[in-house]
């Protein structure tokens, strides 16, 4: 780890965006309905994208949208999954459906609780009412759901509603610390607030996607590939 004044000198966000954009394409992210994105993000917690997607496909296969009774029950049919059918599933059935994503005994109850609450509150299993909320109100509302933190809520706003928020996952958090954008032990929530101040709203989606690609390919948690890094001359390498 570097020492002295250079250790806390961090590169600007514009420079980071420029260098990473020259090195990596910005990955595409399909836009889902808000409720679909919420469940997908819950499934993604503490697992790989592959296992998250396998669990999602299992839900779609076992509880396909368009089943008899969906419209009568007021369910949203925006995506491939019938959330009414998921709500009617037993706890054991739902746990089995999402088991491949890991932590099924936590994720299944969180999904069921969200569906049950939405039906009770709105009479329909939907999160479309997020469209009417400000970013701050939507984050505050979503984080009152079981198993939903700021990162998960921010993913719903960023990817589904295309709001100018920057979700902080493990890659974004690690890189923000290494670049000295936040203190070395900053929490994900503190980092979310800090990045909201220093990254322009119009660049937050691009920054999030590029940092994830960067974190998976070069700025690894262990043995980062600094010799191949386009940020190496400017990076303070905090904690490396």
């Amino acid at each position: 780890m570097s020492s002295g004044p250079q250790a806390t000198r961090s590169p600007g966000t514009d420079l980071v965006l420029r260098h990473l954009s020259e090195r990596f394409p910005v990955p595409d992210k399909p836009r889902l309905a808000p409720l679909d994105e919420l469940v997908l993000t819950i499934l993604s917690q503490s697992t790989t994208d592959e296992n998250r997607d396998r669990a999602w496909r299992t839900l779609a296969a076992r509880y396909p949208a368009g089943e008899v009774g969906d419209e009568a029950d007021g369910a949203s049919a925006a995506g491939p999954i019938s959330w009414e059918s998921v709500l009617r599933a037993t706890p054991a059935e739902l746990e089995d459906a999402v088991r491949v994503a890991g932590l099924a005994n936590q994720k299944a109850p969180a999904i069921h609780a969200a569906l049950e609450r939405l039906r009770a509150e709105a009479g329909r299993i939907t999160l479309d009412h997020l469209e009417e909320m400000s970013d701050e109100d939507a984050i505050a509302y979503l984080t009152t759901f079981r198993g939903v933190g700021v990162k998960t809520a921010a993913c719903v706003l960023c990817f589904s509603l295309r709001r100018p928020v920057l979700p902080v996952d493990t890659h974004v958090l690690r890189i923000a610390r290494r670049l000295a954008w936040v203190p070395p032990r900053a929490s994900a929530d503190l980092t979310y607030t800090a990045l909201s101040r220093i990254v322009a709203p119009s660049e937050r989606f691009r920054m999030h996607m590029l940092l994830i690609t960067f974190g998976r390919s070069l700025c690894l948690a262990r043995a980062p590939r600094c010799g191949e890094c386009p940020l190496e001359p400017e990076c303070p390498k905090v904690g490396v």
Side-chain angles (χ1 to χ4, degrees):
M1 178 175 171
S2 302
S3 60
Q6 195 165 358
T8 57
R9 187 181 303 144
S10 59
T13 56
D14 289 345
L15 181 145
V16 169
L17 276 172
R18 184 170 69 253
H19 284 331
L20 294 185
S21 295
E22 291 169 353
R23 183 67 172 269
F24 307 107
V26 178
D28 190 23
K29 176 72 169 67
R31 187 172 183 178
L32 303 177
L35 179 55
D36 290 24
E37 188 65 53
L38 176 67
V39 175
L40 187 69
T41 308
I42 290 173
L43 293 175
S44 76
Q45 295 168 357
S46 302
T47 193
T48 64
D49 288 355
E50 179 182 3
N51 286 338
R52 172 204 65 194
D53 293 343
R54 288 173 65 191
W56 179 260
R57 289 194 296 269
T58 300
L59 285 174
R62 295 188 186 182
Y63 311 105
E67 291 189 340
V68 176
D70 278 357
E71 292 187 6
D73 289 339
S76 171
I81 299 170
S82 166
W83 297 118
E84 283 289 347
S85 297
V86 174
L87 182 57
R88 290 193 292 265
T90 67
E93 289 170 341
L94 187 52
E95 279 193 33
D96 184 65
V98 303
R99 192 171 309 283
V100 70
L103 301 177
N105 63 335
Q106 298 176 34
K107 295 177 181 180
I111 293 168
H112 187 275
L115 303 180
E116 189 172 49
R117 174 177 163 181
L118 290 171
R119 166 156 286 296
E121 288 182 349
R124 300 177 63 240
I125 304 179
T126 181
L127 273 173
D128 291 348
H129 48 288
L130 289 178
E131 293 276 9
E132 303 169 3
M133 299 182 185
S134 68
D135 296 348
E136 294 77 12
D137 288 347
I139 293 284
Y141 171 69
L142 287 172
T143 52
T144 63
F145 283 77
R146 178 176 178 176
V148 178
V150 172
K151 189 268 282 189
T152 296
C155 283
V156 175
L157 268 65
C158 178
F159 300 135
S160 180
L161 304 183
R162 293 297 193 251
R163 299 287 183 86
V165 299
L166 202 166
V168 176
D169 74 342
T170 182
H171 300 292
V172 175
L173 178 60
R174 179 175 69 254
I175 295 165
R177 289 169 172 174
R178 287 178 174 173
L179 293 176
W181 284 346
V182 295
R185 296 186 179 180
S187 67
D189 288 358
L190 185 151
T191 301
Y192 171 80
T193 300
L195 295 185
S196 296
R197 294 192 185 109
I198 66 175
V199 180
S202 61
E203 299 290 9
R204 289 173 188 166
F205 176 83
R206 187 161 69 110
M207 179 70 85
H208 173 78
M209 300 301 285
L210 285 170
L211 289 181
I212 289 176
T213 300
F214 179 48
R216 288 173 173 170
S217 60
L218 294 179
C219 198
L220 307 172
R222 298 181 181 179
R225 298 159 62 183
C226 297
E228 304 172 48
C229 177
L231 304 180
E232 200 277 337
E234 294 85 16
C235 181
K237 301 180 183 177
V238 175
V240 176

